[in-house]
Amino acid sequence: MITNFLLDHSALVPVAIALVALVCAVLGHLFAGKRRVLLALTGVSLVPVFALTLVPTAHTIDGILCTVQFSLPTLGAVELLANVALFLPPVYFATLAAKRPLTMLAAGSALSAVIETLQAFVPAIGRACDTNDWLMNTVGAVLGVALALGTAWLVKRRAQSGSSMGAISS
C-alpha cells in the first residue's frame, strides 16, 4: 500500500525525505542530552526498518536470491529513495545518543547488510536481497550521521552562546 502510494506520487518522495530529516532534527534538538529519550527514539525508528524488511510477504522465493547492482538514486527512483529515508532516523538518533558517529555509521551499514543477508538466505520471508538496498540504506546512515553532527554542533553552539550571555549579564 505504501509502495503503491509512493509509486503513484514519486515526486513526493524527496519531500518525504526532507520531512523525515526535519522531524529528526527538531526531535534531536529538543531531546539533545537526554540519552534515554534518544535511545527510545532509536528503538521506535527501527520498527519500520524491521517491519518493511523482515516481515514475511504473501509469496515465497525458491532458493537464494540476491540482485547485485549499484545505482545512484534519482528523484524518480522511489524504492532507492525510500531506502535512504528508512535508515536516516535510527542512525541519527543513535548517533546523538551514543556520540559515536563512525561507530553508528558502521552499525547502520552492518545492520542493512545483515537484513539483506537474511532476505537472501531465508526464502520463507518472501523477500530478495538487493545490493542497492544496502547501498541506499548506507547512504541514509551517512545522512543520519551528518544530520546528527550538525544538530550536536548547533546545540553546543547554542549552549556556549547562552552561557556567554549569562556571563555578560552577571
Side-chain angles (χ1 to χ4, degrees):
M1 185 168 103
I2 294 172
T3 303
N4 291 338
F5 177 80
L6 292 175
L7 288 171
D8 291 342
H9 303 90
S10 61
L12 294 178
V13 176
V15 174
I17 291 175
L19 285 174
V20 165
L22 179 64
V23 168
C24 285
V26 168
L27 290 173
H29 192 268
L30 285 173
F31 298 114
K34 296 182 174 141
R35 190 168 189 266
R36 285 186 180 180
V37 174
L38 292 169
L39 289 174
L41 288 169
T42 301
V44 168
S45 63
L46 282 170
V47 170
V49 170
F50 294 123
L52 294 171
T53 60
L54 295 176
V55 170
T57 62
H59 62 326
T60 59
I61 296 175
D62 295 328
I64 297 171
L65 178 62
C66 192
T67 303
V68 178
Q69 60 181 340
F70 294 100
S71 301
L72 294 175
T74 61
L75 293 180
V78 172
E79 187 177 341
L80 295 178
L81 292 175
N83 276 304
V84 171
L86 192 61
F87 269 67
L88 190 153
V91 173
Y92 172 77
F93 293 124
T95 301
L96 285 179
K99 298 179 183 174
R100 295 180 166 271
L102 293 179
T103 301
M104 293 304 106
L105 175 58
S109 183
L111 175 62
S112 179
V114 167
I115 288 169
E116 295 305 317
T117 301
L118 286 170
Q119 289 176 344
F121 289 104
V122 183
I125 62 174
R127 298 184 180 271
C129 100
D130 188 330
T131 55
N132 261 346
D133 292 349
W134 167 79
L135 179 62
M136 292 303 106
N137 292 157
T138 301
V139 169
V142 168
L143 293 175
V145 166
L147 187 60
L149 290 172
T151 301
W153 180 81
L154 285 173
V155 167
K156 184 177 179 181
R157 183 173 172 185
R158 181 178 240 185
Q160 288 173 343
S161 69
S163 64
S164 65
M165 292 300 287
I168 293 171
S169 65
S170 298

